[in-house]
Amino acid sequence: MNARYESAKQMFAAYGIDTDAAIDKLKTIPLAVNCWQGDDVTGFDQDGPLTGGIQATGNYPGKARTPEELMADMEKAMSLCPGKKKLNIHASYAIFAPGEKVDRDKLEPKHFAKWVEFAKAHGMGIDFNPTFFSHPNIKDGLTLTSPDENVRRFWVEHGKACVRISNYFAKETGIPCVMNIWIGDGFKDIPADRMGPRLRYKQSIEEILSEPFDPKWVKPCVESKVFGIGVEAFTAGSAEFTLSFAATHPGCLPLMDNGHYHPTEVVSDKIPALLCFFPEIALHITRPVRWDSDHVVLFQDETLEMAKEIVRCNATDRVYMALDCFDASINRIAAWTVAIRSWQKAMLVAMCMPHAYLQGLQDAGNFTELMMRQEEIKNLPFSDVWRQYCVSCGVAPDGSWFDEVKAYEREVLSRR
Ligand code: RNT
Ligand code: ZN
């Protein structure tokens, strides 16, 4: 028996919080881990630059170059983190047999069989993303919004292939597959037509989603964005566009990436707003620093506030949570580990807060007491519950996990 945890448990119990139950519950809530943190969003189907207005900066040694390396690295990072994981992959991570190669419009489930094997070995579901970037068939920066019908068709066919692959993932793993559509289409400078590209985008997504799927098993999403590098003036998939699309297309979810808004906007406030209308929503959890910089998620105010909203809206089964940070300037295994652990920590803290009690103070108009209680609650011994959670998941409760990362760097990464 752990004396610190036992004493912490009593302190939480005084607020009516059952920390054992919180720990048990958190173990069932999946977090999708993005494979693209491991190789700076390179993928296996091309060796050109990363395009689409996103960038991974840095050149830390030891990046994964093959499916085997990427899987081994992910395995390492996940083994250092508590909680239930899901795999999140992009279509550009297709694994071809030697000598085989098909373009993105011709992708088939078999090109992802190795990922299914990997997911099954770890009891994970799989989330999926068509890859509308880093490809020669992007014309003038446009894919699904292209006025060139041949280009647009190619990308629609890619999207449809991805619906079929998502079906396959859900069927194979027995876990629903969240399929996220994000395009970087936009313009660097003031456009002459804003509606045309958006109407083409609307039509393209509708065509993609005309591919048959069961909405219980495949969850298509549309992800918005405010701007990208090189497309500063106009983004076709803006917040209003994607939200309106999801709202008017049953079975399609809005996906909010907290790096994709104006810097004073917060996704924590948007979560309850959307949950009033959508049965389910999806998130890309990242850390914007002045722009969509995809920094490693840390345990900080807005991270916690997002977790709190998911928990106090009683929506842990209505919000699909995925990481979307990628940092090429530091050890990539550590980057993953910090991100996963930070989100897990935020969720655990959120689950150990007396939400009903605080809500009662708000509804009674006791704002003075609400403020002071919210401040006092910050002193509850969350770290003891975190330790207990980690130990019960069989992972290090403290920074000792970094020794394993250093050993892995020495023995594996530095030899690449
Ligand atoms: C880009 C979007 C998108 C990508 C991934 C790789 O700004 O956030 O989700 O990060 O699809
Ligand atoms: Zn994203």
Side-chain angles (χ1 to χ4, degrees), residues 24-263:
D24 288 346
K25 175 84 194 281
L26 186 51
K27 287 180 187 169
T28 68
I29 302 172
L31 172 63
V33 179
N34 55 321
C35 78
W36 53 93
Q37 156 58 43
D39 72 340
D40 317 336
V41 210
T42 306
F44 305 132
D45 73 344
Q46 55 94 36
D47 49 18
L50 177 56
T51 66
I54 54 177
Q55 240 168 25
T57 55
N59 193 21
Y60 199 85
K63 113 177 187 178
R65 299 158 303 178
T66 63
E68 293 70 32
E69 288 179 356
L70 188 58
M71 287 179 200
D73 291 359
M74 278 193 106
E75 222 158 37
K76 185 68 192 174
M78 292 189 303
S79 76
L80 304 172
C81 301
K84 188 176 168 75
K85 291 104 186 166
K86 201 175 181 188
L87 182 62
N88 201 359
I89 59 177
H90 247 281
S92 52
Y93 290 79
I95 301 173
F96 299 111
E100 185 201 17
K101 168 98 200 266
V102 300
D103 212 341
R104 289 190 191 161
D105 58 334
K106 302 266 165 22
L107 285 170
E108 290 176 53
K110 68 173 181 195
H111 301 124
F112 296 88
K114 288 228 169 70
W115 283 113
V116 166
E117 212 177 283
F118 179 66
K120 280 183 177 169
H122 295 278
M124 298 188 288
I126 307 178
D127 286 347
F128 197 44
N129 305 259
T131 311
F132 298 104
F133 53 82
S134 304
H135 190 279
N137 219 9
I138 298 169
K139 191 173 168 193
D140 300 326
L142 305 180
T143 62
L144 293 176
T145 74
S146 178
D148 180 330
E149 190 53 19
N150 285 331
V151 170
R152 199 184 68 81
R153 275 252 63 81
F154 173 85
W155 290 108
V156 166
E157 289 309 318
H158 173 54
K160 293 172 99 171
C162 288
V163 172
R164 295 189 289 271
I165 294 161
S166 299
N167 272 323
Y168 159 73
F169 286 153
K171 203 175 83 211
E172 284 292 322
T173 62
I175 297 170
C177 171
V178 175
M179 190 195 95
N180 177 45
I181 296 174
W182 170 76
I183 59 170
D185 293 31
F187 300 113
K188 182 184 173 79
D189 226 322
I190 305 166
D193 177 15
R194 291 183 164 89
M195 193 166 159
R198 288 188 171 132
L199 284 173
R200 286 192 290 274
Y201 190 17
K202 175 172 179 278
Q203 187 193 338
S204 297
I205 312 172
E206 284 167 350
E207 286 169 8
I208 292 172
L209 301 186
S210 73
E211 185 68 31
F213 65 92
D214 179 345
K216 275 209 264 330
W217 290 101
V218 174
K219 313 275 179 181
C221 308
V222 275
E223 177 181 11
S224 72
K225 192 161 180 181
V226 64
F227 87 103
I229 297 293
V231 288
E232 290 85 356
F234 169 85
T235 301
S238 61
E240 293 74 15
F241 176 91
T242 55
L243 199 52
S244 305
F245 186 94
T248 52
H249 293 76
C252 185
L253 282 58
L255 185 146
M256 296 189 290
D257 178 316
N258 61 310
H260 290 190
Y261 296 86
H262 291 286

Side-chain angles (χ1 to χ4, degrees), residues 17 308 311-312 349-360:
I17 297 160
K308 274 158 66 179
V311 171
R312 62 188 168 200
V349 169
M351 292 172 78
C352 292
M353 294 182 81
H355 298 295
Y357 165 66
L358 295 170
Q359 191 189 325

